[in-house]
Amino acid sequence: MSLSWRIIDIDQYDEDAYTEDEILAEFETSLSTEEVNSNTQKRGTEVRNLLTRGDLDNSLIRALEDPPYGRHLEEAKTESTRLVSEVLTLFRATDISNIIKTLNKDQQDILMKYLYAGMAKPDQYNSSLTEVAGTGCIVRVMTDKRSVF
């Protein structure tokens, strides 16, 4: 008995089946990879200037702005994740919930994406973010096709 019928890719016949490239293509930026990397570096400089002035809240908000969505942006995604992580590590554990409360839903979702991308202390921030933003934040992030990693 031949089992060769099992090697057929039935998704090729499903018009609703999309490849990862097709899904992510709609989130491509009109900027080149170099422009995205440059913008990420500029944002990093601005965040560090805010940190130098002791403005942690605005440094986190700025770090969460314009996340690099799309394909072929690994350098910008890595730098953005590192930047957000750097800012988060400067907050005291008791202040985390308060800053999260000041973020809007989009910013909370972006923060959750960065946490899932590999924050150094995901448990502490994850539980605080979920406490403030609710489980809806997790659902929105898990179902969003855009990724920061």
Side-chain angles (χ1 to χ4, degrees), residues 4-137:
S4 63
W5 61 273
R6 293 184 183 262
I7 61 170
I8 296 173
D9 179 13
I10 61 169
D11 286 336
Q12 69 182 335
Y13 302 109
D14 184 1
E15 63 187 41
D16 292 331
Y18 298 100
T19 65
E20 184 175 358
D21 282 344
E22 290 172 324
I23 292 169
L24 295 177
E26 73 177 278
F27 302 113
E28 288 294 320
T29 177
S30 60
L31 302 175
S32 71
T33 302
E34 292 77 23
E35 290 172 312
V36 172
N37 290 340
S38 175
N39 290 345
T40 301
Q41 289 174 354
K42 287 177 189 172
R43 188 172 68 249
T45 301
E46 292 171 13
V47 167
R48 286 183 193 85
N49 287 338
L50 289 167
L51 290 174
T52 301
R53 288 185 265 161
D55 192 352
L56 291 177
D57 295 358
N58 285 322
S59 65
L60 178 60
I61 290 169
R62 181 65 182 119
L64 294 174
E65 290 176 0
D66 302 320
Y69 291 126
R71 301 170 291 172
H72 316 298
L73 300 174
E74 286 74 21
E75 183 179 331
K77 290 179 180 186
T78 301
E79 174 63 21
S80 292
T81 301
R82 191 189 60 69
L83 183 63
V84 171
S85 178
E86 180 181 324
V87 172
L88 288 175
T89 58
L90 297 175
F91 281 95
R92 292 180 297 187
T94 56
D95 296 335
I96 294 170
S97 291
N98 292 332
I99 182 60
I100 293 171
K101 288 177 185 175
T102 66
L103 301 176
N104 64 38
K105 292 281 186 218
D106 289 336
Q107 291 167 328
Q108 291 172 350
D109 290 352
I110 292 168
L111 177 57
M112 185 64 82
K113 288 178 185 183
Y114 281 116
L115 293 177
Y116 275 105
M119 293 287 102
K121 300 176 184 177
D123 295 332
Q124 179 181 355
Y125 298 112
N126 188 331
S127 62
S128 296
L129 180 57
T130 304
E131 179 182 311
V132 174
T135 55
C137 181

